[in-house]
Amino acid sequence: MPSTALHLGLSNLFIRKGLLSEDIMASAIADSRKNKHSLVATLINGKHLSAREIAELCHEEYATPLLDLAEFDVAAIAEDLLNKKLIAKHQCLPLFKRGNRLYIATSDPTNITALEDFQFSLGLHAEAILVEDDKLSKALEKVIEDDITGLDLNGMDEAALAGIEITDTDKRHEEPGGESSDDAPIVIYINKILTDAIRKGASDLHFEPYEKRYRIRFRIDGILHEVSEPPVALSGRISARLKVMSKLDIAERRVPQDGRIKMKLSRTKSIDFRVSTLPTIWGEKIVMRILDSSSAQLGIEKLGYEDDQRLLYEEMLAKPQGMILVTGPTGSGKTVSLYTGLNILNTEERNISTAEDPVEINLEGVNQVHINLKAGLTFASALRSFLRQDPDVVMVGEIRDLETAEIAIKAAQTGHLVLSTLHTNSAAETLTRLINMGVPGYNIASSVNLIIAQRLARRLCPECKHAEDIPVAELQRLGFQQADIDKGFTVFKPVGCEFCSGGYKGRLGVYEVMKMSDDIARTIMEGGNSLQIARIAKEQGMRDLRQSGLLKVIQGLSSIAEINRITSS
């Protein structure tokens, strides 16, 4: 845990140089203590000063050598210098030694305590080398990641597991009140599973007990893969450990429970897990959803929208009122699309409120409300309260019933921009779903601006994808446009290599973006069905999910088999 000690020399320096006021500095000091971050990191995160500005100012003031850590090979640091406990505690990195002198990278040269601790531990005279805080964070993250154990615990019996000693690195993930030292093997095993899941880009982890086996699976790029099969005798201890980390009742095994885990990987990087337990006949099945806040910070250009689709989404986000609906099955990326839109809208001038079940990713500057049905806090009641809070933008996690739909539409008609989701298969079906809920057609036509239907397709691994020859007749049957066939393009198929999973690496969005036009509005009010609406939208230039998916094949980003999997031919 980084030190939160107040280094008066550093704070006084910034005030004396006129870079920060006393009020801002006092607030930063309070935040650093509250969040247990260093003062330097707090100032940078608050955008008061840049990492480069702080480093150059300290270099000039304290005459401390300044090093560009990006040019330093962290992997070459001698193992005997890497005291992981002190590195984690002080967020400093020993770089090398010369004679009896140890040179330590730090972004805060006034942190004398850190130098003294390293000096006492390693028996060397410690000297500071100034580095930029953001580069130091990346180096520390690499050191900590490299330190995570790679032990293969599959198939080990309890006696073998009991002989493993827990390391300081593993202890940093423990929650207060956790297991005793007798459970150290389980702690290290669970930490390994969680960190492996993060490294492999998994979205979900499944811990599943059966009569004669226990298996752990990761969902990677939308597909489940078995990754471990620990002894079935450890089922109860694994469940107990996960429930302790999630702050759940370990004595309650008869009813489902929900919790969360925050896993801090470094000073600036943390991952949240949403945890759900389910009693089965052989024990508790536990599913963990990885909630990486960095996915919500992706730019819209990285989500896979085609240029015309992206421009249409951005155009509707710029409107002061109306409704944008995102639709698709569970796990199709709706949340990321909505959060990306909220990030675009999240400015000082706007009041944004969201109602979510549950709140998956925290967005600073957005007022997020966690739905609590037991307490009577529903989407409808939250939305009703939002309208008394002077909102500019409202996001409703899901429109599930007529009451929520009516309030959302009222908000969209009275000067608010409303974003929400539904579970339908296409953009056109979203409109008829609202009608089937009981929403009058004229209300839908006057409030809905845009509907986005989406799926997530696995992206071909660029290292091993292989071209395949497909006859023209087959391309026509699959739905490729004749104009594209005439131009010519290369179709690739997955192969598989050490860099990917079955020939795929990562996912990209496939979208159907439908703007509410006068013709579509007229069709809705006349009681038209989804087939009629879809036909009009295509005539006006909309690409359906199938066409958008085939375009990813033409671009060499995905395979025909993958597009067939997520769309109908």
Side-chain angles (χ1 to χ4, degrees), residues 168-188:
D168 291 325
T169 303
D170 296 298
K171 287 179 181 176
R172 76 182 184 276
H173 298 309
E174 289 192 76
E175 298 291 335
E179 292 85 344
S180 68
S181 59
D182 291 338
D183 288 307
I186 298 298
V187 173
I188 194 172

Side-chain angles (χ1 to χ4, degrees), residues 114-247:
L115 299 180
E116 291 176 344
D117 281 358
F118 277 103
Q119 184 168 306
F120 178 80
S121 173
L122 299 175
L124 298 169
H125 179 73
E127 293 193 12
I129 293 182
L130 259 175
V131 295
E132 294 162 64
D133 191 77
D134 52 352
K135 295 178 181 177
L136 177 59
S137 296
K138 291 180 181 178
L140 291 172
E141 189 169 331
K142 178 174 175 55
V143 169
I144 291 173
E145 180 178 295
D146 288 346
D147 184 50
I148 294 170
T149 180
L151 292 173
D152 181 11
L153 302 178
N154 291 348
M156 284 188 177
D157 57 23
E158 288 194 60
L161 282 169
I164 301 173
E165 293 183 4
I166 190 167
T167 65
D168 291 325
T169 303
D170 296 298
K171 287 179 181 176
R172 76 182 184 276
H173 298 309
E174 289 192 76
E175 298 291 335
E179 292 85 344
S180 68
S181 59
D182 291 338
D183 288 307
I186 298 298
V187 173
I188 194 172
Y189 181 53
I190 294 298
N191 287 345
K192 178 185 182 298
I193 290 293
L194 299 187
T195 51
D196 280 353
I198 295 167
R199 285 178 183 166
K200 293 179 179 179
S203 60
D204 301 86
L205 297 80
H206 292 242
F207 297 81
E208 301 169 313
Y210 298 99
E211 181 181 11
K212 296 182 179 179
R213 64 189 293 242
Y214 189 97
R215 72 175 177 183
I216 300 173
R217 295 189 290 173
F218 292 169
R219 187 177 294 279
I220 301 172
D221 297 336
I223 306 296
L224 281 169
H225 303 270
E226 185 169 330
V227 296
S228 182
E229 189 175 339
V232 70
L234 297 185
S235 170
R237 292 172 65 187
I238 290 173
S239 297
R241 171 61 185 166
L242 292 172
K243 289 167 75 174
V244 166
M245 294 173 72
S246 312
K247 297 181 173 64

Side-chain angles (χ1 to χ4, degrees), residues 40 44 51-52 54-56 58-59 64-70 72 91-93 95 104-109 128-137 139-140 267:
V40 172
I44 295 170
R52 187 66 187 175
I54 293 175
E56 290 180 344
C58 290
H59 169 60
T64 307
L66 180 61
L67 172 70
D68 184 358
L69 197 54
F72 187 88
Q91 296 292 294
C92 296
L93 183 61
L95 299 178
I104 299 176
T106 177
S107 59
D108 181 359
I129 293 182
L130 259 175
V131 295
E132 294 162 64
D133 191 77
D134 52 352
K135 295 178 181 177
L136 177 59
S137 296
L140 291 172
R267 176 170 41 173

